[in-house]
Amino acid sequence: MNKRKQKILVTGGAGYIGSHAIIELIDAEYDVISIDNFSNSTKDTFTRIKKITGVSVRNYVGDVADVALLERVFKKEKHIDGIIHFAALKSVPESVADPIRYYENNIGSLFSIISFAKKHNITQFVFSSSAAVYGDITKLPVNEKTPLAPPASPYGATKVMGEMMLRDIAHASPELKIAMLRYFNPIGAHTSGMLGELPLGAPANLAPIIIEAASSVRKNVTIFGNNYSTRDGTCIRDYIHVSDIARAHVDALRFLQKQKNCCEIFNLGSGKGVTVLELIQAFEKVTEIVVPVTIGKRRAGDMAAIYSDCRKAKKMLGWVPRFSIQEAMQSAWQWHLNLVSKKPSKRALK
Ligand code: UFG
């Protein structure tokens, strides 16, 4: 007799990390459903997922904070074994400009989805946290026991508060098993070239900005400060291929399934610190395209350096990153080329 597949509800399934995680979940034989309101994505993502995996993922369009919608989903689906909660607003500068929206959305949706999990005895819960919870720390690399400095933005504060909330809930309800994954800087695209980062509006993160500068969509990359006390004066981050991050969600679910009770935090990074200039050089090396740069002022809220110690994820989840930053940048470029089906301009060629 065929064993029933585990059914996982992914919130924010059309988003950058959510969509890549869905592919890994399908590969690992999970039955996946999604809730996404397309506030920063489009429904085409599900067409792309179908092309890659052959599977049509059911997406319920709406807001995770909408309790009536969650109940409709449960009534229709009948059972759900686990939830991966990606849906959240994620722009640091936007959160500084509009903190009410960030607290309302990120805390409100977490509150409704975890209440829903508890009400329906859904026992596996994976939460998208962020390296932003570490705040402006100086002792590197950071591990899960590193004391948190005050978060530098309301976005970071929503993740700290989310973790606190979940810790208390797991303590009071041990049958609810929780993994909180602190993502470092996701970059890259699926190896098929058919899925990648596609935010609505102008990108704010470095990797998509490099791609835009390489393809002359923008004039150059403005490097936000080259006078930090790092090896080349530019900020250090821990860039990690989005498919590596995505795969960790499968590992986390498998881990949770084996536990009696659990509330664990895991860093998901490469463990390597890379400067802004080094990421640009990695891109230039694999694509042979020169990226025009200019040096600008420091960006408010940026910390000089942060990178992870990921030994806990390796030890407890058996997770290790498979892709290098060169491979990640190459895949992001391939995705871009497939998306626009447009060659880089002569100006950008070496
Ligand atoms: N940078 C530039 N020029 C740009 C854009 C970025 O020099 O045009 C630099 C930034 O100053 C920073 C680095 O590139 O030093 C990375 O910046 P990103 O905006 O790509 O990423 P952040 O590290 O600022 O933020 C990311 C996520 C957040 C998350 C944070 C956790 O976008 O959601 O990591 O550390 F909170």
Side-chain angles (χ1 to χ4, degrees):
M1 203 176 75
N2 277 347
K3 226 177 108 194
R4 178 178 70 76
K5 285 183 177 183
Q6 289 246 322
K7 190 184 287 182
I8 304 300
L9 168 62
V10 168
T11 74
Y16 179 39
I17 305 180
S19 58
H20 286 79
I22 287 180
I23 291 180
E24 300 298 324
L25 288 163
I26 292 172
D27 277 357
E29 304 274 307
Y30 284 94
D31 185 8
V32 185
I33 56 169
S34 161
I35 298 179
D36 200 304
N37 62 1
F38 303 121
S39 66
N40 192 26
S41 58
T42 66
K43 61 179 180 1
D44 292 354
T45 300
F46 292 105
T47 314
R48 296 175 198 285
I49 291 173
K50 168 110 198 264
K51 276 199 189 125
I52 295 169
T53 64
V55 174
S56 293
V57 172
R58 286 187 298 290
N59 181 65
Y60 295 86
V61 182
D63 194 323
V64 180
D66 179 352
V67 176
L69 167 73
L70 295 179
E71 289 306 325
R72 277 202 305 281
V73 171
F74 195 79
K75 208 168 158 202
K76 186 96 193 291
E77 297 293 336
K78 308 227 170 26
H79 70 266
I80 294 170
D81 299 287
I83 296 174
I84 307 181
H85 180 48
F86 292 104
L89 300 174
K90 60 170 188 178
S91 159
V92 170
E94 206 176 72
S95 78
V96 174
D98 194 354
I100 293 179
R101 185 165 161 246
Y102 269 68
Y103 285 112
E104 184 184 17
N105 183 86
N106 290 3
I107 302 299
S109 63
L110 177 60
F111 180 73
S112 32
I113 195 77
I114 194 71
S115 309
F116 169 78
K118 171 127 178 73
K119 179 176 171 193
H120 293 291
N121 302 314
I122 300 167
T123 55
Q124 305 166 46
F125 192 87
V126 180
F127 175 59
S128 296
S129 189
S130 166
V133 300
Y134 288 108
D136 200 354
I137 35 80
T138 45
K139 196 170 170 289
L140 293 168
V142 288
N143 67 32
E144 295 79 355
K145 291 201 171 112
T146 300
L148 307 183
S153 69
Y155 164 76
T158 67
K159 294 298 177 184
V160 174
M161 290 165 77
E163 288 190 2
M164 284 167 66
M165 225 166 106
L166 292 179
R167 215 172 286 127
D168 288 342
I169 292 166
H171 182 73
S173 313
E175 71 286 356
L176 194 46
K177 299 178 287 187
I178 299 178
M180 305 190 250
L181 308 182
R182 290 178 178 165
Y183 310 144
F184 282 70
N185 292 56
I187 58 169
H190 190 257
T191 47
S192 64
M194 290 195 279
L195 186 69
E197 192 166 12
L198 195 58
L200 305 180
N205 292 120
L206 181 59
I209 285 175
I210 292 174
I211 303 284
E212 283 197 350
S215 55
S216 306
V217 174
R218 68 170 65 217
K219 245 170 65 197
N220 50 43
V221 176
T222 302
I223 296 179
F224 296 143
N226 67 348
N227 56 357
Y228 286 95
S229 51
T230 59
R231 51 186 172 266
D232 61 20
T234 66
C235 291
I236 289 178
R237 295 288 181 275
D238 183 339
Y239 299 96
I240 168 101
H241 196 294
V242 66
S243 292
D244 278 326
I245 289 197
R247 212 180 53 257
H249 295 77
V250 172
D251 297 329
L253 285 173
R254 287 181 175 149
F255 170 79
L256 288 180
Q257 226 188 322
K258 284 187 265 166
Q259 309 304 309
K260 277 212 169 59
N261 50 62
C262 170
C263 184
E264 292 287 349
I265 295 173
F266 297 98
N267 278 346
L268 297 181
S270 70
K272 295 183 198 102
V274 170
T275 69
V276 173
L277 283 170
E278 286 165 355
L279 191 70
I280 294 170
Q281 283 153 10
F283 176 86
E284 291 183 326
K285 193 158 178 226
V286 291
T287 60
E288 300 193 337
I289 296 170
V290 172
V291 178
V293 300
T294 175
I295 306 300
K297 284 199 294 219
R298 290 184 177 197
R299 182 172 68 175
D302 266 346
M303 52 189 127
I306 184 165
Y307 58 95
S308 64
D309 172 341
C310 288
R311 281 176 295 178
K312 184 176 173 188
K314 183 176 179 188
K315 191 165 166 224
M316 293 176 71
L317 304 180
W319 175 82
V320 272
R322 292 180 185 160
F323 297 99
S324 64
I325 57 163
Q326 285 82 4
E327 288 167 320
M329 293 310 280
Q330 173 79 64
S331 65
W333 182 240
Q334 193 53 52
W335 158 242
H336 167 78
L337 291 180
N338 293 353
L339 199 63
V340 298
S341 299
K342 194 174 84 182
K343 294 270 174 288
S345 78
K346 285 261 180 326
R347 185 170 72 74
L349 285 170
K350 239 183 191 168

